[in-house]
Amino acid sequence: MFRKLSVQSLNSPILIISPHPDDDILGSAGLIQHARGLGKQIYVIYITNGDANKASVTRFLKDPLTTQSFIRLGRIRHSEAIKAEATLGIPRSHLFFVSFPDGGTLQIAQSPTPGKVFRSKRTLLSSASYPFAFVRNAPYSKWLLFSSFAPF
């Protein structure tokens, strides 16, 4: 049985976990706006940078499907997330980018070997190599997926 949650009654910050940049805005912008209006602190964790979307690379970036194009897409989506959250009053210091491979988190989470390192099919990266990654250069492994949330 679910109970209705009152944002006003919360005494602690609100944590939003977003699979990709923009999912936080699409799914929680109203909540964020309401909570910010009440003076609540909001934090957002982005699991991936949304860097595996072929249609975005070809239609939006008008690039060929290369590893560099997918990495460029991830950087753009990172920048867009910061701007979108700033519009809602969320400072950059409250945004955390795990930088896991888009389209690869289920395979990593289901791996029976915690230390097994995976490689992104689109970017060909095997670690969180983006300069803004929460744990920079950490390998794409089950260990990183679950240990990334330790500070929260």
Side-chain angles (χ1 to χ4, degrees):
M1 167 93 95
F2 292 102
R3 74 170 210 206
K4 189 172 181 178
L5 177 68
S6 167
V7 174
Q8 193 165 8
S9 69
L10 295 175
N11 294 323
S12 59
I14 297 170
L15 175 63
I16 296 171
I17 300 174
S18 181
H20 317 94
D22 80 2
D23 293 336
D24 53 322
I25 300 299
L26 294 172
S28 303
L31 169 71
I32 293 168
Q33 186 176 31
H34 177 66
R36 291 293 300 138
L38 295 170
K40 304 295 182 180
Q41 294 292 312
I42 309 281
Y43 293 85
V44 182
I45 295 175
Y46 299 94
I47 304 300
T48 77
N49 297 318
D51 56 10
N53 190 308
K54 293 193 292 187
S56 291
V57 169
T58 57
R59 293 182 189 143
F60 172 65
L61 298 182
K62 302 203 183 311
D63 279 359
L65 298 175
T66 66
T67 58
Q68 289 308 309
S69 295
F70 288 110
I71 291 170
R72 181 173 163 231
L73 177 64
R75 289 176 186 263
I76 289 169
R77 294 196 69 188
H78 166 261
S79 175
E80 290 173 344
I82 292 169
K83 290 174 187 171
E85 288 294 359
T87 300
L88 293 172
I90 309 298
R92 169 64 183 95
S93 62
H94 288 203
L95 307 178
F96 300 92
F97 295 83
V98 178
S99 297
F100 251 61
D102 189 14
T105 54
L106 181 61
Q107 182 183 14
I108 293 169
Q110 290 178 338
S111 172
T113 311
K116 181 179 178 184
V117 177
F118 290 81
R119 187 177 189 150
S120 167
K121 293 177 183 177
R122 303 283 186 241
T123 66
L124 301 183
L125 298 174
S126 56
S127 67
S129 302
Y130 288 93
F132 49 80
F134 183 62
V135 181
R136 180 91 194 268
N137 294 320
Y140 290 153
S141 68
K142 185 183 257 185
W143 173 86
L144 177 62
L145 181 61
F146 295 109
S147 67
S148 294
F149 299 105
F152 300 97

